[in-house]
Amino acid sequence: MDKIELMDAEAATRERLAKAEEDRQTRKENKKLAERLKGMNFDDGRVAFIMAQGSGFAESMLDHASQAYANGKDPNTILKYTDSIDEFKTESGVKPNESSLPEGFAIDAEIPDISKYFDMDTSVTSTLYAKPSEMKTLKQLRAGVVQKLIEGNWTAEDMDINNTDSEWNKLTMKKLSYTDSIKELAEAEKGDTDTDGDDDKDIFSRSDARNELKLYVDQVAPTYKLTSLEGSIQDIEAGTQGKAGVARLDANITFKNAIKKAGGSKAASSVQESDYEGAIKNLQNTAITTAYTFLSTGDEGIGSRYKMPFTDQNETTRKETYTFNEIAAMKGGRPTNVQPGDVIMINNKIAIYTGFNHTYGNYGTADVSDPMVLPYIFANYDNDVEFTITDTTR
């Protein structure tokens, strides 16, 4: 009997040791699962809830989280709070107005049934595995290419349109190909690519349009011997503000023409028009600053871009203003010493040269059939309607 009791005791010990090892392994695996859930950016409260449901549920939530990220969703939205969440926060020591649990919080056996504090949000999970439309897929593919173009470290040589073997041009051609496919699909589905502002149906979303505009800024900047990073012109020094402003306007005009070529887009046009207004206002402010800096401190810094010529051999007196007839008689409508971003006076008004065709449709009288078109933007600080631009083209 003693031998039998000893054998039973040994068996019981082995069983307890095996159970302890199994529990240790389970805790180890649970810790790994919890870390993976945190790695998916589930907050502490949701991690605690998920782990309380068992490892099988936790694995399924990891799958859901991966799919959520693929669709651009926050995994935390999969689990929504129930009306009992305040009770859960009270039990766990979280203040009622806090949205997450304290660091290191873990489920305690004394806390009531945790399952009543969260619910699966079926409005989210039902869309996680929905097959994206062909339009959405094409837009995502194009967005990926655009992101590569934005983030790349490109040189002027890379962006030279004649350098067809450059990675920039290859990616650009791929981007244009996606846009053409999106346009064709939109025309087939709706009969019109220009929608009523519905980003899902428009060939560009507003986000797409802003990124496209960044690319055009990056692309035109080297033409003006400037550097642009992700659509922002870098290292603008005193005296180059006007040139940088013209480069931005150049990119905007290029973008406007690209929208038209793509078949039109309300979202893209909205972004382009807003940026255009900002570009014009920026150039007007730069023109005023240039002229008044010259008058106050002379031709240093930004004042050096004031280009009214001297009228005497000693270079002590400058011409006060050009007339419209004098500008019209010049080749390209500009004095030989004037470059993009430079400022002169025309008809006693401050004007900055851009090289583009700016139409002043309200200038003159009703019996004048042809509107005034000049390669200048007038500062127009008095908001004179005659000197308000009605159109800008290349």
Side-chain angles (χ1 to χ4, degrees):
M1 291 295 295
D2 290 341
K3 188 175 181 179
I4 291 173
E5 287 178 4
L6 181 60
M7 291 174 63
D8 288 343
E10 290 175 347
T13 299
R14 286 196 299 271
E15 187 176 339
R16 284 195 302 271
L17 290 173
K19 182 68 168 64
E21 177 61 20
E22 183 181 342
D23 291 343
R24 190 182 71 81
Q25 288 296 329
T26 299
R27 286 193 299 272
K28 186 177 179 180
E29 292 301 320
N30 284 344
K31 184 178 180 181
K32 288 181 180 179
L33 270 176
E35 289 301 321
R36 289 171 64 195
L37 290 166
K38 286 183 179 181
M40 283 294 185
N41 284 330
F42 281 111
D43 61 39
D44 287 345
R46 285 174 171 80
V47 171
F49 167 72
I50 293 169
M51 292 305 299
Q53 312 309 306
S55 59
F57 184 79
E59 291 285 358
S60 71
M61 290 305 296
L62 286 168
D63 290 339
H64 286 329
S66 296
Q67 192 64 33
Y69 273 121
N71 289 351
K73 296 180 183 292
D74 179 359
N76 285 292
T77 61
I78 299 170
L79 293 171
K80 62 182 179 180
Y81 293 133
T82 68
D83 294 336
S84 303
I85 190 61
D86 285 342
E87 177 188 351
F88 178 43
K89 290 180 177 181
T90 300
E91 295 286 349
S92 61
V94 176
K95 295 175 182 178
N97 62 340
E98 291 181 349
S99 59
S100 62
L101 297 172
E103 185 68 26
F105 173 76
I107 294 300
D108 192 302
E110 296 180 1
I111 295 179
D113 179 17
I114 194 173
S115 62
K116 68 181 181 180
Y117 301 116
F118 291 92
D119 279 334
M120 292 283 284
D121 192 337
T122 54
S123 67
V124 175
T125 55
S126 63
T127 62
L128 288 182
Y129 299 94
K131 183 179 179 181
S133 66
E134 185 178 356
M135 174 81 79
K136 186 174 182 179
T137 299
L138 287 169
K139 285 183 177 181
Q140 288 174 339
L141 290 169
R142 180 179 63 186
V145 173
V146 169
Q147 201 59 38
K148 287 181 180 178
L149 286 167
I150 290 174
E151 294 175 352
N153 185 20
W154 310 106
T155 65
E157 184 180 357
D158 292 327
M159 293 185 282
D160 185 345
I161 59 173
N162 296 315
N163 186 7
T164 55
D165 290 331
S166 75
E167 186 65 14
W168 166 277
N169 281 309
K170 288 178 181 178
L171 288 170
T172 299
M173 292 305 296
K174 185 179 289 188
K175 174 180 72 76
L176 293 174
S177 176
Y178 283 137
T179 298
D180 287 342
S181 297
I182 292 167
K183 175 187 174 183
E184 291 173 5
L185 190 61
E187 289 174 341
E189 291 181 354
K190 303 297 292 184
D192 185 4
T193 59
D194 197 5
T195 69
D196 293 327
D198 185 342
D199 275 5
D200 289 335
K201 298 175 183 176
D202 202 328
I203 61 173
F204 290 104
S205 67
R206 291 182 65 83
S207 177
D208 291 336
R210 284 189 286 269
N211 284 335
E212 287 280 328
L213 186 53
K214 287 179 183 178
L215 288 181
Y216 287 116
V217 175
D218 289 349
Q219 193 167 3
V220 303
T223 305
Y224 296 86
K225 294 181 171 57
L226 296 168
T227 301
S228 176
L229 179 64
E230 296 187 9
S232 178
I233 295 176
Q234 307 293 301
D235 303 324
I236 299 176
E237 301 173 353
T240 63
Q241 294 95 326
K243 185 166 63 171
V246 174
R248 176 183 172 186
L249 181 61
D250 191 341
N252 185 282
I253 295 169
T254 304
F255 184 38
K256 181 180 180 180
N257 292 337
I259 295 169
K260 183 177 180 181
K261 186 177 180 180
S265 161
K266 283 190 178 293
S269 293
S270 174
V271 170
Q272 178 269 321
E273 288 163 8
S274 176
D275 181 77
Y276 171 77
E277 291 175 4
I280 295 296
K281 192 66 179 176
N282 175 63
L283 283 165
Q284 289 174 326
N285 291 337
T286 299
I288 293 170
T289 302
T290 300
Y292 280 93
T293 298
F294 172 78
L295 291 174
S296 60
T297 62
D299 55 355
E300 294 182 0
I302 193 172
S304 66
R305 309 319 300 176
Y306 186 78
K307 296 295 183 177
M308 290 304 292
F310 290 103
T311 58
D312 62 324
Q313 290 185 344
N314 295 327
E315 296 187 351
T316 57
T317 306
R318 290 184 185 262
K319 183 179 178 70
E320 290 186 2
T321 186
Y322 288 106
T323 66
F324 285 129
N325 287 336
E326 286 176 317
I327 292 297
M330 297 175 184
K331 184 178 180 180
R334 69 178 179 88
T336 55
N337 66 327
V338 169
Q339 300 297 323
D342 288 345
V343 175
I344 60 173
M345 300 292 292
I346 303 177
N347 207 37
N348 293 309
K349 284 190 172 290
I350 301 170
I352 187 166
Y353 177 74
T354 68
F356 302 118
N357 297 319
H358 302 289
T359 302
Y360 294 87
N362 298 312
Y363 185 81
T365 59
D367 58 350
V368 177
S369 58
D370 295 328
M372 181 171 71
V373 181
L374 289 172
Y376 296 89
I377 295 173
F378 290 97
N380 200 20
Y381 48 82
D382 52 2
N383 294 318
D384 187 342
V385 68
E386 285 193 323
F387 291 92
T388 299
I389 297 172
T390 54
D391 190 26
T392 297
T393 58
R394 194 175 297 286

